[in-house]
Amino acid sequence: ARAISNLNHFKQNNHLFRDLTIEEIYDYVKASMNNMQVRFLCPRGFEENLSLLPSQSVSEQSFYDAKENLLSCFLVGISEHFDTSIALLEKKWNTRLAYKRDTRQNVTKQKADLSSELIEKIKADNRYDIQLYTTARELFFSECDKYDLPRPE
Protein backbone atom coordinates (compact mmCIF):
# COMPACT_ATOMS: atom_id res chain seq x y z
CA ALA A 1 0.00 0.00 0.00
CA ARG A 2 2.87 2.39 0.79
CA ALA A 3 4.40 1.99 -2.68
CA ILE A 4 1.04 2.59 -4.38
CA SER A 5 0.38 5.62 -2.20
CA ASN A 6 3.81 7.01 -3.13
CA LEU A 7 3.12 6.48 -6.83
CA ASN A 8 -0.17 8.36 -6.56
CA HIS A 9 1.60 11.14 -4.69
CA PHE A 10 4.34 11.41 -7.32
CA LYS A 11 1.79 11.50 -10.12
CA GLN A 12 -0.27 14.26 -8.49
CA ASN A 13 2.42 16.39 -6.86
CA ASN A 14 5.62 16.14 -8.85
CA HIS A 15 5.67 18.04 -12.12
CA LEU A 16 8.30 15.64 -13.50
CA PHE A 17 5.82 12.76 -13.34
CA ARG A 18 2.48 14.35 -14.24
CA ASP A 19 2.59 13.28 -17.89
CA LEU A 20 3.88 9.77 -17.19
CA THR A 21 1.82 6.65 -16.61
CA ILE A 22 1.95 5.01 -13.19
CA GLU A 23 3.94 2.15 -14.76
CA GLU A 24 6.51 4.61 -16.12
CA ILE A 25 6.77 6.33 -12.75
CA TYR A 26 7.28 2.99 -11.02
CA ASP A 27 10.01 1.97 -13.44
CA TYR A 28 11.73 5.30 -12.78
CA VAL A 29 11.56 5.20 -8.96
CA LYS A 30 11.37 1.50 -8.03
CA ALA A 31 15.03 1.20 -7.07
CA SER A 32 14.54 3.82 -4.39
CA MET A 33 11.16 2.49 -3.23
CA ASN A 34 11.53 -1.24 -2.84
CA ASN A 35 11.60 -2.83 0.62
CA MET A 36 11.85 0.56 2.34
CA GLN A 37 10.80 -0.69 5.77
CA VAL A 38 13.42 -3.43 5.73
CA ARG A 39 15.99 -0.89 4.62
CA PHE A 40 15.01 1.39 7.54
CA LEU A 41 15.08 -1.37 10.15
CA CYS A 42 18.09 -3.33 8.95
CA PRO A 43 21.13 -2.62 11.15
CA ARG A 44 23.28 -2.61 8.07
CA GLY A 45 20.74 -0.30 6.47
CA PHE A 46 22.77 2.75 7.34
CA GLU A 47 26.29 3.31 6.20
CA GLU A 48 28.66 5.81 7.78
CA ASN A 49 27.05 8.68 5.86
CA LEU A 50 23.59 7.59 7.07
CA SER A 51 22.36 6.70 3.62
CA LEU A 52 19.94 3.82 3.28
CA LEU A 53 21.09 0.38 2.31
CA PRO A 54 21.05 0.34 -1.50
CA SER A 55 17.92 -1.39 -2.75
CA GLN A 56 19.90 -3.97 -4.71
CA SER A 57 21.60 -4.97 -1.44
CA VAL A 58 18.36 -6.01 0.31
CA SER A 59 18.55 -9.73 0.89
CA GLU A 60 16.85 -12.39 2.93
CA GLN A 61 19.45 -11.73 5.63
CA SER A 62 18.50 -8.04 5.58
CA PHE A 63 14.89 -9.11 6.19
CA TYR A 64 15.88 -11.30 9.15
CA ASP A 65 17.99 -8.50 10.63
CA ALA A 66 15.14 -6.02 10.24
CA LYS A 67 12.71 -8.52 11.77
CA GLU A 68 15.01 -8.98 14.76
CA ASN A 69 15.08 -5.20 15.26
CA LEU A 70 11.30 -5.02 14.95
CA LEU A 71 10.86 -7.73 17.57
CA SER A 72 13.09 -5.80 19.98
CA CYS A 73 10.92 -2.66 19.84
CA PHE A 74 9.03 -1.61 22.98
CA LEU A 75 5.91 -1.01 20.93
CA VAL A 76 4.84 -1.71 17.39
CA GLY A 77 1.88 0.37 16.27
CA ILE A 78 -0.02 0.04 13.04
CA SER A 79 -1.00 3.28 11.32
CA GLU A 80 -4.36 2.00 10.08
CA HIS A 81 -5.10 1.07 13.72
CA PHE A 82 -3.78 4.31 15.15
CA ASP A 83 -6.34 4.68 17.95
CA THR A 84 -5.69 1.13 19.16
CA SER A 85 -1.95 1.75 18.88
CA ILE A 86 -2.33 4.77 21.20
CA ALA A 87 -4.47 2.69 23.59
CA LEU A 88 -1.78 0.00 23.60
CA LEU A 89 0.89 2.57 24.39
CA GLU A 90 -1.22 3.89 27.28
CA LYS A 91 -1.65 0.36 28.65
CA LYS A 92 2.05 -0.45 28.37
CA TRP A 93 3.03 2.83 30.05
CA ASN A 94 0.13 2.60 32.50
CA THR A 95 -0.82 6.20 31.80
CA ARG A 96 -3.30 8.35 29.89
CA LEU A 97 -2.02 10.52 27.09
CA ALA A 98 -3.48 13.87 26.19
CA TYR A 99 -4.61 12.51 22.86
CA LYS A 100 -7.40 13.96 20.80
CA ARG A 101 -8.57 11.86 17.91
CA ASP A 102 -7.90 13.50 14.56
CA THR A 103 -10.93 12.98 12.36
CA ARG A 104 -9.33 14.20 9.14
CA GLN A 105 -9.11 11.68 6.34
CA ASN A 106 -6.16 11.25 4.00
CA VAL A 107 -7.95 11.13 0.67
CA THR A 108 -6.13 10.82 -2.61
CA LYS A 109 -7.64 13.18 -5.15
CA GLN A 110 -7.61 10.68 -7.97
CA LYS A 111 -6.19 7.22 -7.57
CA ALA A 112 -4.55 5.74 -10.60
CA ASP A 113 -5.85 2.51 -12.04
CA LEU A 114 -3.17 -0.10 -11.61
CA SER A 115 -2.86 -3.12 -13.82
CA SER A 116 -2.73 -6.51 -12.14
CA GLU A 117 0.72 -6.92 -13.69
CA LEU A 118 2.00 -3.77 -11.99
CA ILE A 119 0.49 -4.80 -8.66
CA GLU A 120 2.22 -8.19 -8.89
CA LYS A 121 5.50 -6.48 -9.83
CA ILE A 122 5.23 -4.15 -6.81
CA LYS A 123 4.48 -7.12 -4.54
CA ALA A 124 7.47 -9.05 -5.88
CA ASP A 125 9.77 -6.05 -5.54
CA ASN A 126 8.58 -5.51 -1.95
CA ARG A 127 8.31 -9.11 -0.78
CA TYR A 128 10.50 -8.55 2.28
CA ASP A 129 8.48 -5.50 3.34
CA ILE A 130 5.29 -7.55 3.00
CA GLN A 131 6.77 -10.25 5.24
CA LEU A 132 7.94 -7.63 7.74
CA TYR A 133 4.48 -6.04 7.80
CA THR A 134 2.93 -9.46 8.47
CA THR A 135 5.29 -9.86 11.43
CA ALA A 136 4.43 -6.35 12.67
CA ARG A 137 0.69 -7.10 12.53
CA GLU A 138 1.16 -10.41 14.38
CA LEU A 139 3.18 -8.65 17.05
CA PHE A 140 0.64 -5.82 17.33
CA PHE A 141 -2.35 -8.15 17.66
CA SER A 142 -0.49 -10.33 20.15
CA GLU A 143 0.16 -7.25 22.29
CA CYS A 144 -3.51 -6.22 21.98
CA ASP A 145 -4.50 -9.65 23.30
CA LYS A 146 -1.94 -9.47 26.10
CA TYR A 147 -3.28 -6.09 27.29
CA ASP A 148 -6.97 -7.04 26.81
CA LEU A 149 -7.56 -4.58 23.99
CA PRO A 150 -10.14 -5.53 21.37
CA ARG A 151 -8.60 -6.35 18.06
CA PRO A 152 -9.43 -3.64 15.55
CA GLU A 153 -11.17 -4.70 12.39
Side-chain angles (χ1 to χ4, degrees):
R2 172 58 35 215
I4 293 169
S5 177
N6 283 341
L7 290 172
N8 281 314
H9 178 78
F10 291 149
K11 176 82 172 161
Q12 292 174 13
N13 299 301
N14 188 320
H15 71 279
L16 298 174
F17 297 126
R18 285 202 181 116
D19 294 329
L20 299 179
T21 66
I22 289 293
E23 288 81 3
E24 290 169 329
I25 296 169
Y26 184 70
D27 287 339
Y28 187 79
V29 301
K30 74 177 179 180
S32 65
M33 284 180 41
N34 74 30
N35 294 303
M36 286 295 294
Q37 300 309 310
V38 168
R39 292 163 62 200
F40 279 123
L41 283 169
C42 179
R44 285 174 273 179
F46 293 96
E47 299 168 358
E48 286 181 25
N49 64 358
L50 297 180
S51 63
L52 278 177
L53 180 71
S55 60
Q56 67 272 20
S57 300
V58 174
S59 65
E60 190 168 6
Q61 185 60 51
S62 304
F63 162 71
Y64 287 120
D65 292 343
K67 181 178 176 180
E68 186 175 317
N69 279 343
L70 179 71
L71 294 172
S72 72
C73 290
F74 171 75
L75 175 82
V76 173
I78 304 291
S79 60
E80 59 266 27
H81 303 304
F82 186 79
D83 291 334
T84 304
S85 298
I86 294 295
L88 180 58
L89 178 61
E90 289 175 335
K91 289 265 191 171
K92 288 186 87 159
W93 272 352
N94 194 28
T95 192
R96 292 286 301 158
L97 299 174
Y99 163 68
K100 183 178 181 237
R101 184 166 177 13
D102 187 350
T103 57
R104 292 178 295 172
Q105 296 288 320
N106 183 7
V107 179
T108 302
K109 295 174 190 163
Q110 181 180 359
K111 293 182 181 179
D113 289 328
L114 302 176
S115 67
S116 57
E117 293 83 13
L118 179 59
I119 291 171
E120 290 308 312
K121 189 176 187 181
I122 291 170
K123 285 180 181 178
D125 290 342
N126 289 280
R127 67 186 173 281
Y128 296 125
D129 266 9
I130 292 168
Q131 292 174 29
L132 191 65
Y133 179 71
T134 299
T135 300
R137 285 180 56 86
E138 290 168 358
L139 184 59
F140 174 72
F141 289 130
S142 173
E143 289 287 288
C144 286
D145 293 345
K146 178 179 174 181
Y147 286 91
D148 295 321
L149 289 170
R151 286 184 175 215
E153 299 188 20

